[in-house]
Amino acid sequence: MKQKYNVTGMSCAACAAHIEKSVAKLDGVADVNVNLLQNSMTVDYDEAVASEYNIMEAVRGGGYDAEPVNPEQKSQARNAAKDKDTRADEEIAHMKKRLIFSICFLIPLMYLSMGHMVGLPLPAYLTGMSNSVSFAFTQLLLTLPVMYINRNFYQGGFKALFHGAANMDSLIAIGSGAAFVYGVFAIYRLSYGLGAMDMLLVEKYHGQLYFESVSMILTLITVGKYMEARSKGKTSEAISKLIRLAPDTARVVRDGREIEIPVGEARVGDVVIVRPGGRVPVDGTIVEGITSIDESSLTGESIPVEKAPGDSVMSATVNKTGFIKFRADKVGDDTTLSRMIRLVEEASGSKAPIARLADKIAGVFVPVVITIAAVTILVWLLTGAGFEFALSAGISVLVISCPCALGLATPTAIMVGTGKGAENGIIFKSAASLETLRGVQTVVLDKTGTITEGRPVVTDLEVIAPGIARNQFLLTAASLEKASEHPLSEAITGEAEKYSLETAAVTDFEAVPGRGIRGRINEMSYIGGNRAMIHEAGIVISDNAGKTAGKWEEEGKTVLFFANGEQLLGMIAVMDVAKESSARAIKEFKRMELEVVMLTGDNAVTAKAIQKKLGIDAAIAEVLPREKDAKIQDLMSKGRKVAMIGDGINDAPSLVRADVGIAIGAGTDIAIEAADVVLMKSSLMDAAAAIQLSRAVLRNIKQNLFWAFFYNTLGIPLAAGVFYPFFGWKLNPMFGAAAMSLSSFFVVSNALRLRFFKPDFEEEEVKEMKKIMRIEGMMCQHCVAHVKEALNAIDGVSAEVSLEDKAAYLTLTREASDDVLSKAVTEAGYTVTGIENA
C-alpha cells in the first residue's frame, strides 16, 4: 500500500536524504519519497512485512518525527490544503518574529563590538584595556538572547548530530557554538591577564571576541530562512488558488424545500440549485434550466460554454446567466476540482529522476563538510597560523556550506511548474512525467476527438436542380435525415438548425444498409445516400456534379446525394473536421523539432487528406483500437521517445504504453487513470504548451543545480583559505553566513520565475475574411446598433449592419466560427437566417 506521512524536524536536503535512507532499509518497503518543501513522506510498502510503526520508528531513529495522514484527512483535500496554508503562514510569522528580536539585540552588539573602529563613542566603563572584561561580558549578555531566540538550530542540529544524521542545523550549531565557546574562553583569558597585569595578553584577546560573529551568523541565517519561507509559500500559490475556487456551501432541494448546507454534506443524487453569478459546488448533470458556464477556472478557456438539460457541469465553475438545477453526480473527493488538487499535490510532492544526483550528494554532504572544517583548522595550525585564524577559517567552512540549496533546487521548480500547469488546465500527474515530456521526439496523435472535433459537420453543399433555393434543398435533406440515427444524419439536421429551418414530417421512411435512406415528404418521394443508391434508383449524376463530388472525396469528405423520383437535387459533403487549434498546434510541434504521427482507424483516403491539409509527417490509417498499442511499441523500438495524445477512452492502452501519455479534453476517469498528463481542454495547443512548460521547468532545475554545486565548489575553498597564500583572500564567518542564506533564497527565487511562464507560440498570420450574415427581426436603427455591438464584441470581428438589406457585412482578422457569430446575434434577440462568404 502507499501511505503518506507528515514529517517534522527537517531543515535541509541532508535530513530528507537520511530519512529516505533509513526507511528504505526496512524490509517490505518498495519505494520512499521524502519532500523537503512539503515536509512530507510517501512510502510504498507491503503491509504483510512492514508496518506504520516500523516506518515511524525508522524516522524517529534519526531524530525526526512522522505521523501518518489517515484516510479521513486524505478525504478532505480542501481542508487539509487550507491547514497547510495556515501552517505556512504561521511559520512565516514565527520566522519574522525571530528575525525582529534577533536584530534588536544584534544592533547594539555590533555597535559595541565594532563602533569604536569607526570612531563611534562608547560608555567610559566599556573603553580601554582595564575595562576589557566588562566590554566582553556585555557582548556575551547581548549574544545569549539571540542564541536563545534561535535555539532550534542547536536543538535540531545537535540532536541530528548525536543520531548520526548531521544536517544544515548541525553545521550552524557547531560553527556558531565553537565561536561562542572561544568567546567565553577569551573572557577567562582577559580576566587572567588583568589579574596578572599581563596587558599584552589582555590586548590580544580583547580583539578576539567572536560574540558578534555568533549573533550575526544566527541572524543572517534567520534572514535567509525567513526569505526562504516567504518564497516557499509562493510556490504553492497555484494549489491555494484552486482550493479557494470551490464554494463552502451548496443550495439543495430536500423534502421539497430549498436549504443551504456545507458543501461537504452534499450527497450523490441531490438536486442542487445555482443562481446566476454563483459557483457550482459539485459535479453533476443539469435537469432544469439553460445557461452559460464560465469554466476558465478549471480549463483556462475564457469563453463561457452553453449548457442545457443533459449537459454536465463541474465544481468550481461559475454560472453566468441562467437559473439551473442539476443532479449531483460526484461529491467530495470525487469532484473534478478535488481530483485536480490531489493530482497537483501528488505531482508537487513527487521526485523527478534528475533529483537523484542532488539526493546522493546531500546524503554525504554534511559529514564531508565537517571533515573539511576540521582539516582546515588542523592544516592552518600546522602551517603556523594563529588559532584565531584557523578557527575563523573552520567556522567559515561550516556556515557557508549549504545543502539547503541542493535540496530546494528540484522540488521548488517542480512545485511552481506543476502549479503553473494547473492554472492553465494542464495537470502533470508526477514529476517524472514532467521530466520525461521534455525529451520526447515523436508525438503520436489520435485523430477522432483529438485532431478533429469528433463529430461530423456539413462542410460543403451544392444545389444541382434548377429553381431550388439553398435553404429549400437543405430543409428537404434535413427532413429526410431526421428520421435516421446515423451520425452523418445528425450533421445535416444540425446544419438546418443553424438556419432555424423547421423540418417537415416524413412518411414511408426506410433505411437501406450501406446505401442510404428513402421516404415521402408531402406525398413526394425522396432518396438520399451514396453514389450506389442514386445509380440504383436510375438517377443520372452529371459530369460536373461527379467531378465536384470526386474532389470532395479526395479531401476525405463523405458525399451524400439527394434526389426526388426524377432528378438529382443536390449534394452535401460531410466530414469530421479538424479543430481550429489543430493545424497551429501541429505547426508548433514541428517548430519544436518533433516528429508528428497520426494514428487513426479511418480509411487511408481520409487519413491522407488530413495529413496533407495539416502538414503531418506520417499517417497510420485503418488501425483497430487494440492495434494502437503495437504501433506505439514499433515507434519506441526505433529508439524514439514517444508521447501519445488521445481522448483517454479507446486510447487507454496506448496512453499507458507510450513514454508519456497525454489525455486531451479529459472528462473521464479512464483518461485520468491512463495518462501521465491530463489536459482539461480539448485543444492540442495545450499539449504544445505542456511540452514547452516541461522544458522550462527542467531548464530551471538545471540552473538551480548548477548554481548550488558551483556555489559550494567555489565557496568552500574560499572559506577554507585556499586562496589566502596567493591572493590574500579570506572569508569572514559573517559573510559566509550571509552567502549561505542568499544561496537558498536565490534557488527559490529562480524557481519562482516559472510563475511568469508563457508558451512561446508563433503569431498567427492575419488572413482577412469577409462574410455576409442574413438577419431577421431588426426593426429600427436601435436594432442595428444592438447587432453591431454584439458582433464587434467578438475578438477579430468588424461589422457593418444594414437595416435595408437585413444583413451584417463582416470583416474577420481572426478565426471565428459561424456558430460563434450566430450565437452573438441570437443572444442579442435576433434571428440569423444564413451566413455566406463574401
Side-chain angles (χ1 to χ4, degrees), residues 408-727:
L408 293 171
T410 302
T412 48
I414 293 293
M415 180 169 276
V416 179
T418 52
K420 188 65 182 177
E423 282 182 21
N424 293 281
I426 302 168
I427 311 297
F428 293 95
K429 289 177 65 177
S430 68
S433 62
L434 181 63
E435 179 175 341
T436 306
L437 186 59
R438 169 198 168 273
V440 298
Q441 300 158 301
T442 299
V443 176
V444 179
L445 307 174
D446 171 52
K447 182 184 81 71
T448 306
T450 301
I451 295 176
T452 66
E453 294 286 358
R455 55 182 176 80
V457 295
V458 172
T459 58
D460 303 272
L461 183 151
E462 186 166 318
V463 180
I464 305 296
I468 299 178
R470 182 184 186 278
N471 279 6
Q472 184 183 349
F473 167 65
L474 177 58
L475 177 60
T476 301
S479 299
L480 194 60
E481 293 285 358
K482 190 169 185 179
S484 172
E485 296 180 354
H486 197 281
L488 299 182
S489 301
E490 293 179 13
I492 295 172
T493 55
E495 183 73 7
E497 287 172 4
K498 280 178 20 180
Y499 297 96
S500 303
L501 301 178
E502 293 191 15
T503 55
V506 178
T507 58
D508 299 332
F509 177 82
E510 180 188 358
V512 182
R515 291 287 193 271
I517 53 178
R518 59 168 57 97
R520 297 176 69 83
I521 303 173
N522 298 327
E523 301 304 318
M524 175 75 74
S525 295
Y526 292 95
I527 61 171
N530 56 22
R531 287 175 189 262
M533 181 91 167
I534 298 299
H535 285 312
E536 287 172 6
I539 304 296
V540 176
I541 299 175
S542 68
D543 290 343
N544 286 338
K547 284 180 182 177
T548 301
K551 177 173 172 283
W552 289 350
E553 287 169 341
E554 285 176 8
E555 293 171 355
K557 301 169 183 175
T558 300
V559 181
L560 300 174
F561 300 85
F562 293 87
N564 56 21
E566 302 170 357
Q567 63 178 334
L568 182 67
L569 300 178
M571 308 176 296
I572 296 177
V574 177
M575 186 183 187
D576 182 10
V577 296
K579 296 173 185 173
E580 291 180 11
S581 62
S582 293
R584 191 177 173 209
I586 289 165
K587 184 179 178 182
E588 288 297 332
F589 289 142
K590 297 181 80 169
R591 192 168 72 90
M592 290 188 278
E593 300 181 351
L594 301 174
E595 178 189 24
V596 183
V597 177
M598 180 174 69
L599 207 56
T600 177
D602 256 350
N603 62 72
V605 174
T606 301
K608 191 74 178 174
I610 292 176
Q611 178 191 0
K612 183 179 179 182
K613 182 178 180 181
L614 299 181
I616 295 170
D617 295 313
I620 305 173
E622 299 175 8
V623 180
L624 297 174
R626 64 176 179 272
E627 296 173 339
K628 288 186 177 182
D629 181 49
K631 297 297 181 183
I632 296 292
Q633 287 189 65
D634 289 344
L635 290 169
M636 293 172 68
S637 66
K638 296 174 184 175
R640 308 287 292 178
K641 190 163 280 189
V642 176
M644 170 67 191
I645 306 177
D647 61 17
I649 301 172
N650 60 348
D651 298 313
S654 48
L655 287 171
V656 174
R657 174 66 62 187
D659 293 297
V660 182
I662 302 175
I664 187 168
T668 66
D669 293 332
I670 296 173
I672 291 177
E673 289 301 319
D676 301 298
V677 182
V678 180
L679 308 180
M680 302 304 290
K681 283 188 290 184
S682 296
S683 172
L684 274 178
M685 289 300 292
D686 281 352
I691 294 172
Q692 289 193 12
L693 178 58
S694 169
R695 291 179 176 181
V697 170
L698 265 293
R699 186 164 55 246
N700 191 280
I701 289 173
K702 288 179 178 179
Q703 290 168 355
N704 285 348
L705 288 174
F706 170 79
W707 285 110
F709 285 128
F710 177 79
Y711 163 82
N712 282 297
T713 302
L714 184 65
I716 292 176
L718 179 64
V722 171
F723 303 109
Y724 185 75
F726 310 104
F727 308 107

Side-chain angles (χ1 to χ4, degrees), residues 33 35 38 345-352 410-411 414 429-432:
N33 178 18
N35 188 289
Q38 295 182 345
E345 283 194 320
E346 287 174 359
S348 300
S350 62
K351 274 189 181 169
T410 302
I414 293 293
K429 289 177 65 177
S430 68

Side-chain angles (χ1 to χ4, degrees), residues 1-7 10 15-36 39-46 50-51 54-56 58-59 66 346 349-353 355-356 359-360:
M1 70 169 290
K2 188 172 281 190
Q3 175 67 51
K4 187 174 182 179
Y5 296 80
N6 291 324
V7 181
M10 293 192 296
C15 305
H18 181 81
I19 292 171
E20 217 164 77
K21 195 181 295 182
S22 300
V23 175
K25 287 178 183 176
L26 297 175
D27 292 335
V29 172
D31 185 52
V32 187
N33 178 18
V34 177
N35 188 289
L36 175 65
N39 291 314
S40 66
M41 172 179 69
T42 305
V43 185
D44 191 355
Y45 66 98
D46 183 352
S51 68
N54 299 141
I55 292 167
M56 289 189 291
V59 175
E346 287 174 359
S350 62
K351 274 189 181 169
R356 291 176 190 146
D359 287 347
K360 286 179 182 177

Side-chain angles (χ1 to χ4, degrees), residues 370-387 389-391 393-394 720:
I370 293 173
T371 303
I372 292 173
V375 170
T376 297
I377 294 171
L378 184 62
V379 168
W380 280 116
L381 288 175
L382 291 175
T383 54
F387 182 73
F389 185 96
L391 181 63

Side-chain angles (χ1 to χ4, degrees), residues 6 61 63 176 182 194 228 254 509 558-559 601 642 673 741 757 777 785 837:
N6 291 324
S176 61
Y182 185 78
L194 286 173
E228 186 183 304
R254 288 185 181 170
F509 177 82
T558 300
V559 181
V642 176
E673 289 301 319
S741 298
F757 166 82
N837 292 327

Side-chain angles (χ1 to χ4, degrees), residues 220-225 227 736-746:
L220 286 172
I221 298 299
T222 304
V223 169
K225 286 287 184 183
M227 292 191 297
M740 175 189 174
S741 298
L742 288 172
S743 67
S744 297
F745 179 68
F746 173 82

